[in-house]
Amino acid sequence: MQTPQKIAVVGSGLVGTLLAIYLKKKGHTVHVFDRSPDIRTVEFSGRSINLVMSNRGWKTLRDIGLEDEIKKIGIPVDKRGIHLQDGTYTTQHYGKEGEAIYSLSRGILNRRMIDLAEEAGVEFFFNHKIWDVTLSTATLHIGESERGEWTDLQYDKVFGADGAFSRIRHRMQRQSMFDYSQEFMKIGYKELHIPANPDGTHKIDKNSLHIWPRGNFMLMALSNLDGSFTCTLFMPFEGENSFEQLKDEKALVEFFANYFPDTKEVIPDLVEDFFKNPKSYLVMMKCFPWTHNDKVALIGDSAHAIVPFYGHGMNAGFEDITILNEMIEKFGDDWEKIFREYEISRKPNADAIAELSFRNFMEMSSRTADQKFLLQKKIEKWFSDKHPGKWKPLYSRVTFSNQPYSEALAIGEFQNNIMEKVMQMPNIEEKWNSQEVEQKIIDLLKK
Amino acid sequence: MQTPQKIAVVGSGLVGTLLAIYLKKKGHTVHVFDRSPDIRTVEFSGRSINLVMSNRGWKTLRDIGLEDEIKKIGIPVDKRGIHLQDGTYTTQHYGKEGEAIYSLSRGILNRRMIDLAEEAGVEFFFNHKIWDVTLSTATLHIGESERGEWTDLQYDKVFGADGAFSRIRHRMQRQSMFDYSQEFMKIGYKELHIPANPDGTHKIDKNSLHIWPRGNFMLMALSNLDGSFTCTLFMPFEGENSFEQLKDEKALVEFFANYFPDTKEVIPDLVEDFFKNPKSYLVMMKCFPWTHNDKVALIGDSAHAIVPFYGHGMNAGFEDITILNEMIEKFGDDWEKIFREYEISRKPNADAIAELSFRNFMEMSSRTADQKFLLQKKIEKWFSDKHPGKWKPLYSRVTFSNQPYSEALAIGEFQNNIMEKVMQMPNIEEKWNSQEVEQKIIDLLKK
């Protein structure tokens, strides 16, 4: 057990709240600050993408005894449901029989987590704006406005779980030797909505992650408990098939009729939602170091903001907690060592999931509409079922295992090189599950 | 001629001051702000690397009639002087007969430029700290301290020439869709000093850029007008042969005796200078966009901070002014267009010189000590002298031409691939200036 400390967590999002529970259970006094009102008291914003919880996230919850509690508010999703423009609908299973990711509403999950944290004894301070931090003393500077009066609050440790535009990181960034990058995608997103049937059932299969892949843009839908779906339209801000072009009702309705004809029945409030909900940006943020002495540490999006195309933002953030907790158990009261080992362990894996997530946009928006790609996935699955010890597909490594992301990325590239060769075999369409293909893969694996 | 405007330039460094002269001569009211005291009234800091002015910088000065004035305070440097550890000394000319870069003391140059700007009618406001800017209205926020009282100063345009840690950019960085990265090198530097002889002459050849290449570290010296040299020791902060290891006088003196034996006579104040002068950091900074509507623009290091190993930080910044001026002449009062075309034109070239500069550390610190590399340079020079229309070495493109940096980089890579093949020819050491080699290069150029 550690010597009890007074710890501030900045940010009451998913990672901040779960971290607070972990720290509280270690015996510390834990205060969570958030500049926003209590999410339990406000309406949702209409700018959310539904979350998917996979193995890494569940592990972090399980280790602190919360897995069952949270599974109650999730819906298992075991496949992609792919809607082609010509009306064809195909499915592609994510993993083996019984393997699934879970669709969760960010708002509902966050509210539940805050309840659980309060039950555990964490104290929350909403509408408290942290403007700055003195790193050397873990002192928070708090006030109504950035240029107004500030109050100082002194802690033993400060965790910055305050997201991609973290104020805590903002201070660290002005230190020498702090590496930092932020890169905005040319693609943004907008939330849309498929309501439930009158009897509360789902209008389309709730156990699929629905994708309408259209090249440089796509629509996506993930189920909610109440029978509805949260949809997300991803598209470029400018150029062909972009937000810029969907300026009025006519352009929007024509666009959807042309590209997403099968959504007409299920998205009745398209026009209202589209022009009411904000257009949101996607940013990739990397930095290093993540900690300052034994005083301050970044965690989750504040340390590594990624794009949502692998569904791993929350999972990677929760895994930060798992690793931090491992270091706490290993090094006890030596917080400098805990912080150092935590950032060294996590940084390459954060970079790897950033890369995997970035690449996955092309997979989701283009390649899922490509027969050759679907065949490749089928071959991988077939070979993997026959030789589970020899082949685990990249998606399964990332989503259904705890293998470090950096290893998954490296092995994924090795496997991809093999599959490129396999796909070039003559008549692969006919003989994809032949002994010849099987032997070819085995030979290539030996190299 | 443009409609006269009220323009603020933030930063009284070399780029800010020269930009102010350009803008003043266009008929604008120009105010230059700097948080520091007037450099003409203070001692130099002991943390400077001498500058080299090359073709691009001279062009910008020439176009405004200042080339001759500034040449008076520069010393032409037409070659590298390479000091090997075994005492061997070799030279390597930078370009053709008569081509030279110019060594300039940053402080002396900056003082002279401020004098010239004042003569032109530019107004300077030293000890004025700009903390923030309102981008949409080009309003500067100025005050004694960041958290104290601020005064607002309203301009028609604001230029951020306030260096790698620009406050103006700091505000832009908090806008959506602003891409930004800062990366610190693992190598830092320290200023040292070779004094003049008692009679005011230089102790070593003043027309050479002296390098002591030692692999992952190096010493460099550039001449000053007063007979002295400004030396710069570049080395890693940590690890083998690092600043971390040179903790006391004994370690320092032994290190220099071992690696730089021929400096013993010429750097008499080694110990004093080393422990008095600060250890400085090197940062690479990239961002985009560089402008905000027709109100605010970044220029020089605030838009693209690079490492000093090609001697092009100031030259690239001055070239920004040349291009901005071209756009002003082309688009008159359409400042939005001027800013847009300026940033689009400059960004790829800023990225290219950043890359070239980064790579040049290895060339200076390691490859100049490598016989094979020196031979390669000799072959390039020999071929280029014979076929000036067919081959211009990369260094000459960057330093003795105004070819866009991005083109120079691309052609440099093409040429380098050719030279790699040439250097693999059997017995290249003997036949380097044979017809066979000449023909080989001509053939490879045709591909």
Side-chain angles (χ1 to χ4, degrees):
Chain A
M1 211 60 184
Q2 292 182 302
T3 308
Q5 301 235 316
K6 206 177 146 198
I7 299 181
V9 175
V10 182
S12 71
L14 301 168
V15 172
T17 305
L18 184 52
L19 171 67
I21 297 172
Y22 263 80
L23 293 170
K24 182 69 200 171
K25 297 212 168 167
K26 292 270 172 225
H28 303 295
T29 300
V30 186
H31 294 172
V32 177
F33 292 91
D34 204 297
R35 60 174 49 231
S36 302
D38 188 342
I39 193 174
R40 294 168 301 186
T41 67
V42 293
E43 267 195 70
F44 296 143
S45 67
R47 60 186 306 154
S48 181
I49 308 170
N50 263 30
L51 298 166
V52 289
M53 185 91 72
S54 53
N55 209 58
R56 296 169 205 267
W58 290 124
K59 178 181 164 45
T60 314
L61 289 167
R62 189 185 316 127
D63 288 351
I64 201 94
L66 298 179
E67 183 181 20
D68 296 342
E69 196 58 39
I70 300 300
K71 269 214 169 131
K72 291 180 195 158
I73 55 171
I75 298 174
V77 167
D78 61 358
K79 59 191 168 303
R80 285 176 176 154
I82 302 164
H83 301 251
L84 298 183
Q85 201 176 340
D86 65 7
T88 321
Y89 179 73
T90 52
T91 59
Q92 186 191 29
H93 280 263
Y94 279 125
K96 290 182 295 206
E97 186 69 35
E99 285 183 329
I101 57 181
Y102 284 73
S103 174
L104 287 151
S105 148
R106 177 183 295 271
I108 291 171
L109 175 60
N110 208 154
R111 288 172 175 178
R112 188 78 198 97
M113 299 270 296
I114 293 172
D115 284 342
L116 291 166
E118 280 187 343
E119 284 167 26
V122 172
E123 288 174 77
F124 283 82
F125 300 87
F126 296 104
N127 297 306
H128 278 59
K129 297 190 177 101
I130 307 294
W131 295 104
D132 204 351
V133 58
T134 300
L135 299 171
S136 57
T137 55
T139 304
L140 295 177
H141 305 291
I142 188 165
E144 257 315 295
S145 76
E146 185 162 14
R147 297 276 305 135
E149 281 287 303
W150 288 355
T151 309
D152 292 352
L153 298 173
Q154 166 91 51
Y155 285 89
D156 296 318
K157 310 265 166 283
V158 166
F159 284 90
D162 48 345
F165 301 100
S166 167
R167 275 275 159 174
I168 304 300
R169 188 192 65 232
H170 192 253
R171 170 54 55 194
M172 291 169 73
Q173 196 179 316
R174 291 164 73 178
Q175 307 286 301
S176 283
M177 300 302 284
F178 190 82
D179 290 342
Y180 175 78
S181 72
Q182 65 184 40
E183 189 186 346
F184 282 83
M185 300 295 104
K186 306 289 178 241
I187 289 163
Y189 68 90
K190 196 177 274 264
E191 184 181 320
L192 298 169
H193 187 72
I194 299 178
N197 287 316
D199 64 355
T201 56
H202 289 83
K203 283 191 194 294
I204 52 178
D205 176 35
K206 68 174 179 179
N207 301 118
S208 294
L209 183 151
H210 294 268
I211 317 180
W212 290 256
R214 297 294 182 267
N216 73 335
F217 63 101
M218 68 172 171
L219 183 68
M220 216 188 86
L222 272 163
S223 51
N224 294 314
L225 278 184
D226 65 1
S228 70
F229 282 81
T230 301
C231 303
T232 316
L233 175 65
F234 292 97
M235 66 191 309
F237 291 109
E238 295 172 7
E240 209 191 343
N241 300 323
S242 70
F243 282 114
E244 183 190 47
Q245 293 189 326
L246 304 182
K247 281 197 182 116
D248 53 35
E249 183 170 337
K250 183 166 169 289
L252 176 68
V253 170
E254 269 177 21
F255 182 83
F256 266 69
N258 182 21
Y259 286 108
F260 309 120
D262 62 345
T263 64
K264 190 162 191 263
E265 299 297 309
V266 297
I267 309 186
D269 302 328
L270 171 66
V271 175
E272 195 192 328
D273 284 354
F274 189 91
F275 292 107
K276 184 188 71 193
N277 288 339
K279 202 167 56 186
S280 296
Y281 297 93
L282 295 169
V283 68
M284 271 215 290
M285 191 287 305
K286 295 181 181 183
C287 67
F288 200 78
W290 294 0
T291 67
H292 186 91
N293 303 338
D294 61 346
K295 292 295 177 198
V296 178
L298 303 174
I299 192 158
D301 280 2
S302 71
H304 49 80
I306 63 178
V307 292
F309 306 114
Y310 227 110
H312 269 260
M314 171 188 58
N315 287 289
F318 280 13
E319 199 175 56
D320 289 348
I321 300 173
T322 297
I323 300 299
L324 180 75
N325 189 53
E326 272 177 34
M327 299 307 168
I328 287 173
E329 302 203 331
K330 220 159 148 183
F331 302 114
D333 278 336
D334 187 351
W335 280 93
E336 193 145 352
K337 182 95 173 158
I338 290 165
F339 279 2
R340 187 75 189 136
E341 296 295 321
Y342 153 73
E343 67 182 2
I344 288 175
S345 165
R346 286 309 283 160
K347 174 64 175 164
N349 294 312
D351 287 346
I353 190 62
E355 178 63 25
L356 286 162
S357 304
F358 182 73
R359 291 183 192 175
N360 221 41
F361 178 72
M362 287 312 293
E363 172 157 338
M364 288 181 81
S365 72
S366 299
R367 302 187 73 203
T368 53
D370 172 8
Q371 288 309 314
K372 201 109 192 192
F373 173 74
L374 296 177
L375 175 61
Q376 177 181 326
K377 289 278 162 179
K378 200 157 76 175
I379 298 171
E380 279 192 66
K381 186 168 180 353
W382 160 77
F383 186 84
S384 170
D385 286 345
K386 275 191 113 161
H387 303 281
K390 284 194 172 39
W391 193 285
K392 187 178 184 113
L394 175 60
Y395 188 90
S396 296
R397 290 178 190 276
V398 173
T399 301
F400 301 122
S401 93
N402 295 315
Q403 181 173 41
Y405 288 125
S406 54
E407 278 179 39
L409 174 62
I411 296 170
E413 294 194 338
F414 173 71
Q415 289 177 338
N416 199 47
N417 288 337
I418 291 176
M419 288 311 297
E420 275 180 13
K421 293 195 180 89
V422 170
M423 294 307 289
Q424 280 161 17
M425 291 170 78
N427 301 316
I428 184 70
E429 290 81 1
E430 281 86 60
K431 68 181 179 197
W432 66 271
N433 55 356
S434 66
Q435 218 201 317
E436 185 192 343
V437 171
E438 186 179 352
Q439 193 56 47
K440 171 96 176 175
I441 298 177
I442 289 169
D443 292 346
L444 286 167
L445 276 170
K446 283 182 188 145
K447 277 183 190 165
Chain B
M1 208 63 181
Q2 293 181 301
T3 308
Q5 301 235 314
K6 207 178 145 199
I7 300 180
V9 175
V10 181
S12 71
L14 301 167
V15 173
T17 305
L18 184 53
L19 172 67
I21 297 173
Y22 264 80
L23 294 170
K24 183 68 201 170
K25 296 212 167 165
K26 294 268 171 225
H28 302 294
T29 300
V30 186
H31 294 172
V32 178
F33 292 90
D34 205 297
R35 60 174 51 230
S36 302
D38 187 343
I39 191 173
R40 295 169 300 185
T41 67
V42 293
E43 268 194 70
F44 296 143
S45 67
R47 59 187 305 154
S48 181
I49 307 171
N50 263 30
L51 298 166
V52 289
M53 185 91 72
S54 54
N55 209 60
R56 297 168 203 266
W58 289 124
K59 179 182 163 43
T60 314
L61 289 167
R62 189 184 318 127
D63 289 351
I64 201 92
L66 297 179
E67 183 182 18
D68 296 341
E69 196 59 39
I70 301 300
K71 269 215 170 132
K72 291 180 196 158
I73 55 171
I75 298 174
V77 167
D78 61 358
K79 58 191 169 303
R80 285 176 177 157
I82 302 165
H83 301 251
L84 298 182
Q85 202 176 339
D86 65 7
T88 319
Y89 178 71
T90 52
T91 58
Q92 185 190 33
H93 280 262
Y94 278 126
K96 290 183 295 207
E97 187 69 36
E99 285 183 328
I101 56 180
Y102 284 73
S103 174
L104 287 151
S105 147
R106 177 183 295 270
I108 290 172
L109 175 60
N110 208 154
R111 288 172 174 177
R112 187 78 197 98
M113 299 269 295
I114 293 172
D115 284 342
L116 291 165
E118 280 187 343
E119 283 166 27
V122 172
E123 289 173 78
F124 283 82
F125 300 86
F126 296 104
N127 297 307
H128 278 58
K129 296 189 178 104
I130 309 294
W131 295 105
D132 204 349
V133 58
T134 300
L135 299 171
S136 58
T137 56
T139 304
L140 296 177
H141 306 291
I142 188 166
E144 258 314 294
S145 76
E146 185 162 14
R147 297 276 306 134
E149 281 286 304
W150 289 355
T151 309
D152 292 352
L153 298 174
Q154 166 91 51
Y155 285 88
D156 296 318
K157 310 265 166 283
V158 165
F159 284 91
D162 48 344
F165 301 99
S166 168
R167 275 276 161 174
I168 305 301
R169 188 192 65 231
H170 192 251
R171 170 54 55 193
M172 293 169 73
Q173 195 179 316
R174 290 164 74 177
Q175 306 286 300
S176 283
M177 301 302 282
F178 190 82
D179 290 342
Y180 176 78
S181 72
Q182 65 184 39
E183 188 186 346
F184 283 83
M185 300 294 105
K186 306 288 177 241
I187 288 163
Y189 68 91
K190 196 176 274 264
E191 185 182 319
L192 297 171
H193 187 71
I194 299 178
N197 287 316
D199 65 355
T201 56
H202 290 83
K203 283 190 195 294
I204 53 178
D205 176 35
K206 69 174 177 180
N207 301 118
S208 295
L209 183 150
H210 294 268
I211 317 180
W212 289 257
R214 299 292 182 268
N216 72 336
F217 64 102
M218 68 173 170
L219 183 68
M220 215 188 88
L222 272 163
S223 52
N224 294 314
L225 278 183
D226 66 0
S228 70
F229 283 80
T230 301
C231 303
T232 316
L233 174 66
F234 292 96
M235 67 191 308
F237 291 109
E238 294 172 8
E240 209 191 344
N241 300 323
S242 70
F243 282 115
E244 184 189 46
Q245 293 190 324
L246 303 183
K247 281 196 185 120
D248 53 35
E249 185 171 335
K250 183 164 169 290
L252 176 67
V253 171
E254 268 177 20
F255 182 82
F256 266 68
N258 181 20
Y259 287 108
F260 309 120
D262 62 345
T263 64
K264 189 161 192 263
E265 298 298 308
V266 297
I267 309 184
D269 302 327
L270 171 66
V271 174
E272 196 191 327
D273 285 354
F274 189 92
F275 292 107
K276 183 187 73 195
N277 288 339
K279 203 167 55 186
S280 295
Y281 297 93
L282 295 168
V283 69
M284 271 215 291
M285 191 286 306
K286 295 181 181 182
C287 66
F288 200 78
W290 293 0
T291 67
H292 186 91
N293 304 337
D294 62 345
K295 291 295 177 198
V296 178
L298 303 175
I299 193 158
D301 281 2
S302 71
H304 48 80
I306 63 179
V307 293
F309 305 114
Y310 226 111
H312 268 260
M314 171 188 58
N315 287 289
F318 280 13
E319 199 174 56
D320 289 348
I321 300 173
T322 297
I323 300 299
L324 181 75
N325 189 53
E326 272 177 35
M327 300 307 170
I328 286 173
E329 302 201 333
K330 220 160 151 183
F331 302 114
D333 277 337
D334 187 351
W335 280 94
E336 192 145 352
K337 182 95 173 157
I338 290 165
F339 279 2
R340 187 73 189 137
E341 296 296 320
Y342 153 73
E343 67 181 4
I344 288 174
S345 166
R346 287 308 283 160
K347 174 63 175 164
N349 294 312
D351 287 346
I353 190 61
E355 178 63 26
L356 286 162
S357 303
F358 181 73
R359 291 182 192 175
N360 222 39
F361 178 73
M362 287 312 292
E363 172 157 338
M364 290 181 81
S365 72
S366 300
R367 302 186 73 204
T368 54
D370 172 7
Q371 288 308 313
K372 201 108 190 192
F373 173 74
L374 297 178
L375 175 62
Q376 177 180 327
K377 289 277 161 179
K378 199 157 77 173
I379 298 171
E380 279 193 65
K381 186 168 179 355
W382 159 78
F383 185 84
S384 170
D385 286 344
K386 274 190 115 163
H387 303 281
K390 284 194 170 43
W391 194 285
K392 186 178 183 114
L394 174 59
Y395 188 90
S396 296
R397 292 179 189 275
V398 173
T399 301
F400 301 123
S401 92
N402 294 315
Q403 180 173 42
Y405 287 126
S406 54
E407 279 178 39
L409 174 62
I411 296 171
E413 295 195 336
F414 173 70
Q415 289 177 336
N416 198 48
N417 288 337
I418 291 176
M419 288 311 298
E420 275 181 12
K421 293 195 181 87
V422 171
M423 294 306 290
Q424 280 161 17
M425 291 170 78
N427 301 315
I428 183 69
E429 290 81 2
E430 280 86 60
K431 66 181 180 197
W432 66 270
N433 55 356
S434 65
Q435 220 201 317
E436 184 192 345
V437 171
E438 186 179 351
Q439 194 54 50
K440 172 95 177 177
I441 298 177
I442 290 169
D443 292 345
L444 287 167
L445 276 170
K446 284 181 188 145
K447 278 183 191 163

